[in-house]
Amino acid sequence: MELRSVEELMDLLYAGRHQHALRTAALLRRGRPADKELQVAGLVRGIGPVLCQGSAAERARTAAEAVRALLGERVFRLVRGDADLDDDALRLRQADEESRTAGFDAGVLEDWRTVLELVAARHARLGAVD
């Protein structure tokens, strides 16, 4: 499945375990407020279980493939999770683990729509140049 719009992505996020995804994205926002792609990667990892019932690695690959065309290569690589563990991948993994036990209000999914649209629009502009 390849997502073509932020609206399709939002539907999948609502269908998944979005509280965990929201906390992960919020933790990444706190640590790296300017890195929207990293934050979005933390958020969209939550669609994996909605798309695939396989292993954690299969769910990550499925989610990554689904968002690749919409959100770009960097988000794809971060969501896939099997790339070399660079600083961004480590931050994402740490935020994911911390969000499992964190007990704070991370807001609502609708708060992230604009960020998703910005990342998608930026990727679309960059893709047009390539």
Side-chain angles (χ1 to χ4, degrees), residues 68-87:
R68 186 179 209 169
L70 183 64
L71 301 175
E73 288 300 312
R74 182 166 178 243
V75 174
F76 163 77
R77 182 182 55 80
L78 288 166
V79 172
R80 189 181 60 207
D82 59 2
D84 293 332
L85 291 181
D86 61 9
D87 184 54

Side-chain angles (χ1 to χ4, degrees), residues 23-24 37 58 65-66 70 109 117 123-124:
R23 286 191 302 271
T24 302
E37 289 178 337
E58 290 171 315
E65 287 295 337
L70 183 64
L109 278 174
E117 289 170 347
H123 171 66

